[in-house]
Amino acid sequence: TVDGRHYYVMQYVDGIPVDDHALLNALSARARVALSIKIARAVSRAHQRGVIHRDLKPSNILVDVDGEPQVLDFGLAKALSTALEPSSTESVSLVGHVVGTLPYLSPEQATGFDAVDVRSDVYALGVILFELLTGAYPYDVHGEREDARSRIIREKPRSLKESVSTGAWTGLPAARELDDDLQAIVSLALAKDREDRYQS
């Protein structure tokens, strides 16, 4: 605190968003998954400390000069205790308000009723992995915001293979690198019902 003003001192991360890093380095599917594992471990550590991020997306994950991903921007984070007890006075979210970045919202976040827990972050990690592997989102999120939100809540996500760009060089993994195991992992992370997702 200086002159009554509070501020944070944080480590400076010299890096670029994880999706840009993967594209610029034309990483294989295996290397993209390896990055995703490191990201999932970092998010899991936050969860173990009782914090839900609620705004995981590539621009909030920078890969530093050593090639290590750093999860940033906990500006929308919420204590797990207040997420489980939404009536808590510590809660800053308003019921009916959608919190987070549209393409990465879990169906429960997209409803605006803030019924979030660690499985909402698991969902966002699934969207990020999908995007890292295909360069696309699992849903069409273009057009009117309400239409995109409705698709997130109701539509089945596209498969990895049907989302892969073909033709000219894209810097993305080839369809042959996206096997059934990867599809199963992504599908489980993107389950509509959070009870059907990975629980951590």
Side-chain angles (χ1 to χ4, degrees):
T1 305
V2 173
D3 295 331
R5 293 184 183 266
H6 297 279
Y7 65 95
Y8 290 107
V9 176
M10 294 178 277
Q11 174 187 357
Y12 172 71
V13 178
D14 184 10
I16 60 173
V18 65
D19 54 342
D20 290 343
H21 170 79
L23 192 62
L24 289 171
N25 293 286
L27 297 182
S28 67
R30 182 175 292 277
R32 291 166 194 252
V33 170
L35 268 177
S36 297
I37 290 169
K38 290 180 178 182
I39 295 163
R41 285 186 179 141
V43 172
S44 177
R45 188 159 173 87
H47 291 166
Q48 290 165 6
R49 300 289 186 271
V51 176
I52 307 165
H53 192 286
R54 297 199 307 170
D55 197 23
L56 291 168
K57 56 187 175 183
S59 62
N60 283 344
I61 303 164
L62 297 186
V63 179
D64 66 22
V65 292
D66 296 320
E68 296 298 319
Q70 307 287 333
V71 179
L72 310 174
D73 194 358
F74 282 76
L76 294 180
K78 189 169 196 168
L80 189 52
S81 59
T82 56
L84 297 175
E85 300 170 26
S87 61
S88 166
T89 56
E90 295 175 31
S91 177
V92 296
S93 300
L94 298 173
V95 173
H97 287 239
V98 177
V99 176
T101 304
L102 184 65
Y104 306 93
L105 292 179
S106 64
E108 60 271 16
Q109 277 179 289
T111 64
F113 287 94
D114 208 24
V116 298
D117 59 23
V118 299
R119 296 167 294 184
S120 298
D121 281 352
V122 167
Y123 185 93
L125 290 170
V127 175
I128 292 166
L129 179 56
F130 190 102
E131 187 180 5
L132 285 175
L133 294 171
T134 67
Y137 298 123
Y139 310 97
D140 177 10
V141 291
H142 299 92
E144 295 293 324
R145 181 176 173 83
E146 283 307 305
D147 293 339
R149 202 167 65 91
S150 177
R151 286 190 285 274
I152 290 168
I153 294 168
R154 293 179 182 81
E155 282 185 13
K156 181 181 176 184
R158 293 186 274 244
S159 74
L160 290 173
K161 289 194 177 183
E162 71 184 18
S163 300
V164 172
S165 297
T166 57
W169 182 86
T170 61
L172 294 164
R176 67 181 177 279
E177 294 184 73
L178 309 181
D179 61 20
D180 292 341
D181 289 338
L182 270 179
Q183 181 60 61
I185 289 166
V186 169
S187 294
L188 198 55
L190 295 178
K192 294 289 181 205
D193 185 340
R194 58 188 175 172
E195 295 294 331
D196 297 332
R197 283 180 220 145
Y198 293 107
Q199 299 299 291
S200 66

